[in-house]
Each structure stands twice: as structure tokens, then as C-alpha cells.
Amino acid sequence: MSEKRGILIVISGPSGSGKGTVLKRLMEKRDDFKLSISATTRSPREGEVNGVNYYFVSREDFENRIKSDMMLEYAEYCENYYGTPKKEVVDCLNAGQNVILEIEVKGALQVKKKYPDAVLCMIAPPDYPTLEARLRGRGDNVPEAVIRERLDTAKYELSHIGEYDYIVVNGNDMIDEAADEIIGIVDAEKHRSTRCNTFVDDFFSAEKLPCGVN
Ligand code: 5GP
């Protein structure tokens, strides 16, 4: 017995947590998960494709979507809008797919408020030195000020960890394990009694009871 509707999973994690790689591995392992495609006003980076990585839209378009109540959540991050288109997510959940939103903290907390049965999961690096080494080790000549800013943002994001339902620590060379932990969390959540609230009604429904039992 488990819920037929999909589970809404929100994944956050600071830059350097490896959340993108973990989610890519999870998607390779399971086909009942769908990664939501967000809308954003930021410009595409090299190699990013509209409708695959994001829906790249203008500020005006984004603000119209907000006004028309088409966004499940949204936030401004580094002077750009980012948000989750509502319809696709709701359709997938109703079709029994688990939907993953990979979003920052403010958006995640909005989702929890609107949909209390969403599962919020923070992917964290194992410790500060590992995070710093990952951010510095990317080798793309990032200026020191940007590294410091990313570390500060990580501190802010991790300070909200208590508002998340689960923490998954992504250690070095532990991508498989981290993906399996998220899968385990979602599979367990499917059996939470509060998600299976039609079970008792079905169990005792008149047509299923033997004659003479009421
Ligand atoms: P990036 O520009 O590096 O792709 O993403 C910047 C941040 O925006 C990341 O923390 C990412 O998780 C977050 N983000 C991506 N899509 C959404 C969204 O739909 N809503 C919110 N609130 N944050 C998002």
C-alpha cells in the first residue's frame, strides 16, 4: 500500500554541494522521477538549451506569469527571477510521477508553506574545508571575491537546514550513495500513514466487506 500520487521533492544545496551531479545520477537510476524545468530571466550559459535546462524568458514575461498565478513559487536570486511553472508539476504529480524541484532556499520555503506534504531535502557538503576546496578546485579562474561570496551564500543557505525535512551529505566520490539516500527517503515517504488516508476507507468499504460484517 502506498500513495498513487507522486511526491513533490524539493532539493536545495549550496554551490559546491554537488546537487546537480547527484540529481543527474538519481535520474539515471529511476524513471518515475521528473526534474521540473524552471523559468528564469537570466541569460543562458554556454551549452544551455531553452526548454531543457531552463525556460529563458524576459522580465516582462516572468512578471506576467506571476500575475496570472502560473508560478508554483519564485524568488529573485542574483538580480534575476527564478521560478517553477505550476501546471507541469501538478500534471506530473497527478500522473503518479515524483517531481523534483532543484531550487534555492526562499523558493523551497514557499513550497513548504503552500504544500506541507512536499519533502524538503538539503544536500550538504560534508564540511567547510571540503566545500571550500570544491569551490576553489573548479579551476575556472574565479576571482577570490566571488569565492568568498559563494562561501557566504553557502553559510546562509545551510543556516536554514533546520527548516528542511532531510539532510543528505554528499561526500567526495559518494554520488551513488547520495542519490540512493534521496531515493530511499522518497520511497519511505510514500508509505507515510498520512499519505495513505484512503486506505482505511477502502479497507472497510461496503463492497469489500464479507456478508454480515458492517
Ligand atoms: P543557476 O543560475 O546557477 O542555474 O541557479 C542559481 C540558483 O537558482 C540555484 O540555487 C538554483 O537551485 C536556483 N533555482 C533554479 N531554478 C529555480 C526555481 O525555479 N526557483 C527558485 N526559487 N530557485 C531556482
Side-chain angles (χ1 to χ4, degrees), residues 11 13 19 38-40 42 45 48 54 73-75 77 82-85 102-108 157:
I11 305 279
K19 62 182 188 294
S38 298
T40 182
R42 85 151 161 76
R45 297 188 187 122
E48 286 185 331
Y54 281 103
E73 61 72 37
Y74 69 93
Y77 183 91
Y82 290 82
T84 306
E102 193 217 305
I103 62 178
E104 50 71 64
V105 170
K106 288 188 210 117
E157 289 176 316

Side-chain angles (χ1 to χ4, degrees), residues 198-205 208-209:
T198 59
F199 178 76
V200 172
D201 291 344
D202 287 351
F203 193 94
F204 291 109
S205 70
K208 287 185 187 157
L209 290 179

Side-chain angles (χ1 to χ4, degrees), residues 152-187:
D152 283 349
T153 306
K155 213 168 169 185
Y156 164 77
E157 289 176 316
L158 292 173
S159 74
H160 284 281
I161 219 160
E163 290 157 89
Y164 281 65
D165 301 301
Y166 295 95
I167 302 167
V168 168
V169 174
N170 179 28
N172 290 340
D173 302 319
M174 301 290 275
I175 300 292
D176 240 2
E177 288 78 356
D180 286 342
E181 281 182 17
I182 298 174
I183 289 170
I185 289 165
V186 177
D187 286 344

Side-chain angles (χ1 to χ4, degrees), residues 34-39 50-55 83-85 88-89 100:
K34 164 99 175 55
L35 199 51
S36 162
I37 302 170
S38 298
N50 187 34
V52 175
N53 305 91
Y54 281 103
Y55 297 110
T84 306
E88 285 179 23
V89 172
I100 299 181

